[in-house]
Amino acid sequence: MKATQKDFAAVVARAAREARVFFLCGQDEAGIQDGAARIVALLDDPGERIEFAGADLRRDPVRLGDEARSTSLFGGARHIVVRASGDEAAEALANLLDGQGEACPVIVLATNATDKSKTAKLLADRPDALVVTFWPPDLKSVAGAVRTMADAAGVRIDGAMAERIARAAGLDTRIARSEIAKLALYLDAGPEAPKSADAAAFEAIGASTEEDGFMPLVNAVLGGEAGRIPGELRRMRELGLNPVAVVLALERRAAQLAALASKLGPRSDVRQVIEAEKAARRIFWKDERDLTQQLKRWRGRRLERLVARTATLHRQLLANSQSAELFLAQGLAEIGRVAAAKG
């Protein structure tokens, strides 16, 4: 089976009953994570969670099939989550599908792959598999998702507040969900006792906005402003910003640049594309200058490597939480040097 991001909500319940392999790809990592969580929630008995890195399966492509057909340590159900880059898990999935016997559900999160990838083509026509591509959302769609989250949590917000929360979260629905949860707790709200949230309540929970938080650092790095990066890193520590949240903002901007670059023809004018996107309200006017400069620096293979590098940096931070700030500083300095060389 194959679905678009828009179709996902309509097909996911049936897929959770009928499919055993789920391939979630595209440039919207937050959407992919949300999609995986939705699938797990719909499984009859998700049981124990087993995680693999795509690089491990590339080195040992038989391991996935063996693990999917083995018995849980406690004898119950299980499901497997694979975090892959591109087609790292393609051979392992082929071996899994060729094997004999019932296997547990396998969910692959592949942020650097598309529905044209080798893995997607392997699975798209199979009734026991689901392929979904998630593209970076715009402000309007994330604001709509925020209102849906808020309704479910018993928090009443208007459209303006939903947009503010979406911007503060960097258009990342995972961060937005956390902000809604904090609002519900602060207001003592719930589905049975809904409460209205205003600007004062949102400020009270201490949410950092993009302008005050992540984006000055992200813009300094992607704009090749090497001299600004040390100061921005100091500011990050002073504000107590989470290194993983910073890298999520970097990934979001890299994905946004990739989406914009896909609309540029061989002779397209960057300024013209940015103006069209701004007129369609797909980019915020405050981002216009930074996006224009960054899109001129990050194109083609260079941009592909940036997307891959940010995903690798994200995995490094998750695996080395005690040294996350050090890994982040090193990774951002490296990306900043590459951006500066373009100038």
Side-chain angles (χ1 to χ4, degrees):
M1 292 181 280
K2 188 174 180 180
T4 65
Q5 193 166 354
K6 292 180 180 179
D7 301 332
F8 180 70
V11 305
V12 64
R14 179 168 67 90
R17 293 192 303 269
E18 300 176 4
R20 306 309 288 168
V21 178
F22 306 85
F23 185 68
L24 311 184
C25 60
Q27 297 166 346
D28 179 18
E29 183 174 354
I32 290 173
Q33 295 276 3
D34 284 345
R38 178 70 173 147
I39 290 167
V40 172
L42 288 168
L43 295 175
D44 287 339
D45 183 7
E48 182 185 3
R49 179 188 180 102
I50 308 295
E51 293 206 18
F52 286 117
D56 294 335
L57 297 182
R58 184 178 58 192
R59 288 190 291 269
D60 184 3
V62 177
R63 188 177 177 187
L64 178 63
D66 290 345
E67 190 69 41
R69 291 185 172 86
S70 63
T71 303
S72 167
L73 179 64
F74 302 104
R78 54 168 44 186
H79 68 281
I80 295 174
V81 174
V82 179
R83 299 180 186 276
S85 177
D87 282 319
E88 285 180 331
E91 187 177 355
L93 287 170
N95 288 335
L96 168 69
L97 296 170
D98 286 342
Q100 299 296 317
E102 185 176 354
C104 72
V106 175
I107 306 168
V108 182
L109 286 58
T111 52
N112 295 326
T114 71
D115 57 353
K116 303 296 190 297
S117 66
K118 177 181 178 182
T119 312
K121 291 177 179 177
L122 171 71
L123 302 172
D125 295 331
R126 296 183 62 101
D128 58 351
L130 174 67
V131 175
V132 189
T133 306
F134 293 84
W135 297 106
D138 56 20
L139 178 60
K140 182 179 178 181
S141 63
V142 176
V146 168
R147 295 197 74 171
T148 300
M149 295 174 199
D151 289 343
V155 177
R156 290 193 293 253
I157 57 175
D158 59 19
M161 178 57 67
E163 286 197 3
R164 180 174 178 181
I165 294 172
R167 286 199 189 97
L171 302 187
D172 191 310
T173 53
R174 291 165 296 182
I175 298 175
R177 182 174 285 103
S178 174
E179 299 305 299
I180 293 295
K182 286 190 286 183
L183 270 174
L185 184 62
Y186 177 78
L187 296 168
D188 192 23
E192 304 302 322
K195 302 283 178 63
S196 295
D198 56 14
F202 186 52
E203 289 168 5
I205 65 171
S208 296
T209 65
E210 279 192 81
E211 186 172 352
D212 295 334
F214 313 129
M215 293 316 296
L217 175 54
V218 169
N219 287 329
V221 171
L222 295 181
E225 300 176 66
R228 283 183 53 204
I229 295 175
E232 290 297 338
L233 285 170
R234 282 195 301 273
R235 189 180 62 82
M236 181 196 83
R237 288 191 291 271
E238 289 167 0
L239 289 175
L241 299 180
N242 188 309
V244 174
V246 174
V247 129
L248 283 171
L250 182 67
E251 286 183 294
R252 177 71 63 189
R253 176 52 61 86
Q256 186 178 20
L257 290 172
L260 291 170
S262 69
K263 298 178 181 180
L264 284 169
R267 297 178 184 152
S268 291
D269 179 71
V270 169
R271 168 61 60 184
Q272 188 177 28
V273 170
I274 294 294
E275 286 291 341
E277 292 297 294
K278 186 177 72 169
R281 297 188 66 196
R282 285 189 286 267
I283 65 172
F284 192 42
W285 65 268
K286 287 184 179 180
D287 295 331
E288 178 182 357
R289 175 181 171 275
D290 292 312
L291 284 170
T292 300
Q293 292 180 345
Q294 292 161 18
L295 194 54
K296 290 177 179 177
R297 291 175 183 273
W298 301 97
R299 304 274 289 276
R301 290 288 300 165
R302 189 188 190 89
L303 180 55
E304 290 177 12
R305 287 193 292 271
L306 171 66
V307 172
R309 181 67 185 93
T310 56
T312 299
L313 181 58
H314 188 177
R315 289 195 294 270
Q316 281 182 312
L317 300 191
L318 293 176
N320 301 276
S321 57
Q322 292 185 338
S323 303
E325 283 193 9
L326 176 61
F327 278 106
L328 179 67
Q330 291 174 338
L332 295 185
E334 175 191 334
I335 295 169
R337 284 194 298 269
V338 173
K342 187 67 174 178

